[in-house]
Amino acid sequence: MSALLRLDDLHRSYGSTVAVDGLSLEVASGEVLGLLGPNGAGKSTTIGMIAGLLRPDRGAVVIDGRGGPEDPEIRRLLGLAPQSLALYDELTARENLKLFAELYDLRGSGGRERVQELLVAVGLDTRADDRVAAFSGGMKRRLNLAVALLHRPRLLLLDEPTVGVDPQSRSSIIELIRTIAGGGTTVVYSTHYMEEAQRICDRVAIVDHGKLLDIDTVDSLIDRHGGKPILRTIKGGEETRLRTDDPVRELTALFAAGGLESVRIDRPDLEAVFLALTGRTLRDV
Amino acid sequence: MSSLRAVRALAVKDLRLLLRDRGALFFTLGFPLLMGLAFGWIFGGGGSKSRSDLDIAVFDRDGSAPSRAFIDELGGEGSGIATAPATDLDACVAAVRTREAIACVVLEEGFGRASDAFFAGGPMRLGVHIDPSRGAEGGLLTGKLTALSYQRMQSLFSGESEALKRARMVIDQGDAPPALKSALSDLYTSIERLNEGDEGQDEKQDEKQDEKQDEKQADDGQTDDDSEPESGGFQPVVITTSEVRAERSGPPNAFAVSFPQGIIWGLMSCVMSFSASLVRERTQGTMVRLMIAPLAPAAILAAKSLACFLTCILLQVLMIAFAVVVFDLTVSAPFEMAVAMICSALAFVGVTVLIAGLSRSEEGADGLGRSVLLLLALFGGGTIPIFVMPPAMAAAASISPFKWASVAIEGALWRGFSLAELALPLGILLAFGVGGFIVGVLAMRRRGAG
């Protein structure tokens, strides 16, 4: 697949603080790429540079092989759900969508239909004419996402789209993103929740301190950095941890010896990958 | 999407947000009205005088008992006229010139004699000196004077119809010369008509006045409402009107001052509301979404400016319209008023962008608004009218855009300024607008938000 997005050696600093430090990567058309890293890793700055909200100190953003986001025509290809809720609280959900639809030239019956379609998609059709100020955090997040989808962007930038929402809304948002991705939309998904990255992303880029530490599929990252599975057993009240390439064979042998009270196999995950790459867990930072 | 359509959509959004923010709406439209009413009531003496009274200066050149009675009747209870005696003609006319009175009424020599003996000494003579811009009040006043004159004459003849009939009979049967008989016959006919009632007589009188006014357009601006009686007719009162140009030094009433002051407070609220909303776009993230839309960055600022401009214009139009309808104010220079409103609105759009550019947060915009704008409004005529400020204070007020808005609006409202006279305040307002806009945009760009 051809690259819809290419980042070439991006640098961006805020005073003496380096936010993004030589980030280069490509995102193929139709791919879902996760930017995984702790808060302050440079994910939002990277999204900001892709969207054209921030100018890189060095390096380039190339979209669809044509140019950067400073071109309004290129920006038409982008949809952004920013981390902060970019909504007008005193307008209704429908009015918010209608306003942004107009800015993207979606007017008349076509615009109205698209607005209604998205209200249904994010489960807000019954609250469409209520003011956003009266919405819960989860509802606002869903509407925030809906606004980004109005003009059917080819490249969807999602900056921590599930921050601060209840599990039900989070699940609904993730399902919606999977549906969108299934329709061929390219997604760049920034998060510090590894479960989300594992669930949604085709590939994950691990970033920390503005640097790209590695980028690959989840399985490949785990294979490369996650280490062996850990077999945890309790026998005679004592816990034993065994790192092994073949936990099933080891387990069979332990069962044969008898006396096992409890058994658990911990497969390595992105948390382990992050730990291996940075020496810290995502939860530490 | 065309930029114009985007600007319109965003401006409509901003106006809708203003309408839904009850606090901002009150301070933008309701509070200025309250200020206009409160200051007007205070400046006007707490409503001690009925605003519908016509202030008339009266010079009694005749000084007779009937003339004094006439004056008492003119300013009597329920007449809607407040009379103030003048010591001489110059003082009387000066009262009109300085707008202390809307007209000067002069009861000429012989007024008393004429009113007691209608057919002996000619008609009662009254002079009215009035500012030509007070045409409606002038018509009301001459009507009142005419009616009073006829009432006075009618009172002299009430119950005399039988006596007249007898007098006519004596003359008809006597040996008087034919010319005298004819004159007396006309006289009796006139008196009988008078006795039949005022209304019919008034109508005929008005018709006659109109015809004669058409014929006698005086070159020197002086017109007679009635002329000398011609052969075969009788005129009990002759009212001579002359124009006196009122000086443009004082407002027609307190509300002409207080409503421009109210506008100042409204403009301040507009600035605070829209600068805060522009900052809010940045802090709440909606600016991010607008900036990623396929719009020129200028369109976003243009939309905000348009909404602010329209609100400033709406505020001014509503305030002036209210003052005109409710307080009988007349906009002395309507075209100049429109220009003054537009320039004021543009100035405060610039100030809005400046404050938004200099503020990092909504709280910052609010603080800047409360501190700087409040001070500028206070010194710019928001509480003390510019024209009553001590010279040093008035000079210091020149740094405030509110002063220039106040000068421009007052100039067009009651000072009758021409465009040439308004050039300085309008120019300064435009300079505030352009300067504020440029500095505000540069500050936003520096912050990476514009």
Side-chain angles (χ1 to χ4, degrees):
Chain A
M1 280 191 288
S2 61
L4 183 69
L5 171 68
R6 197 177 76 235
L7 307 182
D8 287 337
D9 194 27
L10 282 186
H11 286 77
R12 170 79 193 198
S13 299
Y14 298 102
S16 60
T17 306
V18 178
V20 175
D21 189 6
L23 189 73
S24 296
L25 56 82
E26 287 191 354
V27 185
S29 186
E31 183 183 11
V32 179
L33 175 78
L35 287 177
L36 181 67
N39 291 329
K43 304 187 299 291
S44 293
T45 301
T46 303
I47 296 265
M49 287 190 285
I50 298 170
L53 299 169
L54 297 169
R55 201 180 293 257
D57 296 334
R58 205 165 75 220
V61 175
V62 181
I63 296 166
D64 199 28
R66 290 197 271 165
E70 58 280 355
D71 179 351
E73 284 308 308
I74 299 282
R75 286 210 301 275
R76 273 184 188 277
L77 304 177
L78 305 178
L80 170 68
Q83 187 174 347
S84 58
L85 290 163
L87 301 166
Y88 295 102
D89 275 359
E90 293 308 316
L91 299 184
T92 67
R94 193 188 304 281
E95 286 168 343
N96 268 284
L97 286 168
K98 191 167 168 283
L99 168 68
F100 289 105
E102 281 184 57
L103 299 185
Y104 282 95
D105 246 352
L106 293 165
R107 297 190 311 277
S109 59
R112 282 194 297 275
E113 280 167 20
R114 180 64 178 153
V115 165
Q116 186 60 29
E117 185 184 324
L118 283 167
L119 285 167
V120 172
V122 297
L124 291 173
D125 49 322
T126 56
R127 302 287 303 275
D129 297 312
D130 290 353
R131 290 192 193 177
V132 172
F135 283 8
S136 68
M139 291 162 77
K140 286 181 182 176
R141 282 276 163 212
R142 282 184 274 153
L143 183 60
N144 199 40
L145 179 58
V147 175
L149 297 171
L150 266 167
H151 60 294
R152 297 185 175 86
R154 285 182 61 196
L155 175 58
L156 180 62
L157 306 171
L158 304 175
D159 191 4
E160 305 266 10
T162 59
V163 165
V165 303
D166 56 280
Q168 193 183 351
S169 285
R170 174 176 295 190
S171 183
S172 155
I173 289 169
I174 288 172
E175 280 312 307
L176 182 61
I177 293 166
R178 285 164 73 109
T179 307
I180 294 160
T185 302
T186 307
V187 179
V188 175
Y189 187 99
S190 125
T191 184
H192 62 272
Y193 297 123
M194 61 176 184
E195 302 86 355
E196 288 180 9
Q198 275 183 289
R199 206 170 144 190
I200 295 173
C201 302
D202 298 320
R203 288 194 304 154
V204 173
I206 309 285
V207 291
D208 193 27
H209 297 304
K211 287 182 186 296
L212 177 65
L213 303 180
D214 203 351
I215 177 169
D216 213 327
T217 62
V218 173
D219 287 342
S220 297
L221 284 171
I222 291 172
D223 284 348
R224 243 188 340 263
H225 307 289
K228 298 171 183 173
I230 298 170
L231 178 63
R232 295 171 188 262
T233 57
I234 298 176
K235 186 175 178 182
E238 249 184 58
E239 186 188 49
T240 309
R241 300 173 69 180
L242 177 66
R243 201 174 280 275
T244 172
D245 285 327
D246 193 350
V248 177
R249 188 170 57 83
E250 294 292 342
L251 194 56
T252 307
L254 286 170
F255 269 123
L260 279 181
E261 294 161 18
S262 166
V263 173
R264 200 178 93 190
I265 298 171
D266 288 344
R267 288 183 55 77
D269 56 14
L270 287 174
E271 182 77 53
V273 172
F274 191 82
L275 177 65
L277 287 171
T278 66
R280 299 169 296 160
T281 66
L282 272 168
R283 292 181 184 87
D284 289 338
V285 290
Chain B
M1 177 179 198
S2 78
S3 289
L4 278 180
R5 208 175 286 143
V7 167
R8 192 189 63 188
L10 291 170
V12 167
K13 175 265 297 177
D14 279 317
L15 292 174
R16 187 173 282 160
L17 288 173
L18 177 69
L19 284 175
R20 291 185 184 171
D21 184 344
R22 287 181 190 171
L25 191 63
F26 169 75
F27 280 106
T28 304
L29 297 178
F31 184 68
L33 185 62
L34 290 180
M35 292 295 279
L37 291 172
F39 277 122
W41 188 77
I42 292 164
F43 293 155
S48 59
K49 195 182 87 174
S50 165
R51 65 173 176 77
S52 61
D53 281 356
L54 298 179
D55 289 314
I56 306 296
V58 181
F59 172 47
D60 185 2
R61 203 195 292 273
D62 191 49
S64 62
S67 65
R68 284 192 293 272
F70 186 88
I71 292 167
D72 289 345
E73 212 166 338
L74 180 64
E77 187 76 23
S79 66
I81 291 175
T83 56
T87 52
D88 55 31
L89 180 61
D90 287 345
C92 192
V93 170
V96 180
R97 197 163 282 131
T98 58
R99 292 183 181 270
E100 286 170 35
I102 65 148
C104 158
V105 173
V106 181
L107 284 73
E108 302 290 3
E109 269 180 49
F111 182 91
R113 192 175 65 249
S115 72
D116 280 346
F118 272 107
F119 315 115
M124 295 183 285
R125 290 181 182 280
L126 292 166
V128 174
H129 302 262
I130 191 163
D131 181 356
S133 70
R134 312 302 294 262
E137 292 94 332
L140 201 67
L141 178 63
T142 50
K144 185 80 182 170
L145 292 170
T146 306
L148 276 178
S149 304
Y150 278 99
Q151 277 172 21
R152 176 157 184 76
M153 193 173 73
Q154 193 178 6
S155 70
L156 292 176
F157 288 96
S158 60
E160 296 290 335
S161 57
E162 286 304 313
L164 283 170
K165 279 179 190 170
R166 280 197 295 274
R168 190 191 283 277
M169 203 180 298
V170 169
I171 291 296
D172 287 346
Q173 292 168 359
D175 295 323
L180 180 59
K181 277 188 176 181
S182 170
L184 288 172
S185 175
D186 285 346
L187 173 65
Y188 293 148
T189 304
S190 296
I191 294 169
E192 281 163 357
R193 277 210 304 269
L194 283 170
N195 281 341
E196 284 167 14
D198 279 337
E199 284 182 17
Q201 187 67 27
D202 283 348
E203 284 169 15
K204 287 173 190 170
Q205 194 76 14
D206 288 345
E207 285 168 14
K208 203 168 205 174
Q209 282 174 11
D210 290 344
E211 286 168 14
K212 289 184 177 175
Q213 272 182 336
D214 290 344
E215 291 165 6
K216 295 182 67 180
Q217 289 293 335
D219 291 339
D220 58 357
Q222 190 169 41
T223 56
D224 283 352
D225 287 308
D226 266 340
S227 63
E228 291 291 338
E230 291 173 6
S231 172
F234 172 69
Q235 302 289 331
V237 60
V238 173
I239 300 174
T240 307
T241 60
S242 23
E243 292 182 359
V244 177
R245 292 273 171 193
E247 287 171 359
R248 298 174 304 189
S249 59
N253 65 36
F255 295 99
V257 178
S258 68
F259 269 69
Q261 283 184 303
I263 287 174
I264 284 177
W265 293 104
L267 289 172
M268 192 185 86
S269 297
C270 275
V271 171
M272 287 176 69
S273 295
F274 281 96
S275 56
S277 90
L278 194 49
V279 174
R280 200 178 305 131
E281 298 267 15
R282 292 206 307 258
T283 56
Q284 293 193 345
T286 43
M287 182 66 89
V288 163
R289 205 180 292 278
L290 295 178
M291 286 171 70
I292 199 178
L295 306 170
I300 301 168
L301 203 53
K304 192 68 76 178
S305 301
L306 176 62
C308 181
F309 175 82
L310 291 176
T311 308
C312 289
I313 291 287
L314 178 70
L315 156 78
Q316 295 177 86
V317 169
L318 287 179
M319 289 289 285
I320 295 298
F322 191 92
V324 165
V325 171
V326 179
F327 298 114
D328 298 333
L329 288 181
T330 306
V331 178
S332 62
F335 174 73
E336 285 77 4
M337 173 60 85
V339 177
M341 285 179 176
I342 290 169
C343 289
S344 297
L346 289 174
F348 288 97
V349 167
V351 174
T352 300
V353 174
L354 174 66
I355 289 184
L358 296 178
S359 308
R360 286 179 184 277
S361 63
E362 226 179 303
E363 292 75 19
D366 190 53
L368 204 58
R370 281 180 199 281
S371 52
V372 179
L373 285 179
L374 195 62
L375 210 60
L376 289 175
L378 286 172
F379 281 97
T383 48
I384 305 171
I386 301 290
F387 66 92
V388 298
M389 280 181 182
M393 191 178 177
S398 299
I399 60 162
S400 168
F402 294 106
K403 169 189 169 171
W404 299 106
S406 175
V407 168
I409 291 166
E410 281 185 1
L413 180 61
W414 55 266
R415 292 180 194 272
F417 279 6
S418 64
L419 271 184
E421 289 170 300
L422 284 172
L424 179 66
L426 296 183
I428 291 173
L429 285 170
L430 287 178
F432 268 110
V434 173
F437 196 88
I438 290 172
V439 176
V441 168
L442 288 176
M444 284 182 204
R445 281 196 180 160
R446 198 172 161 206
R447 191 164 291 136

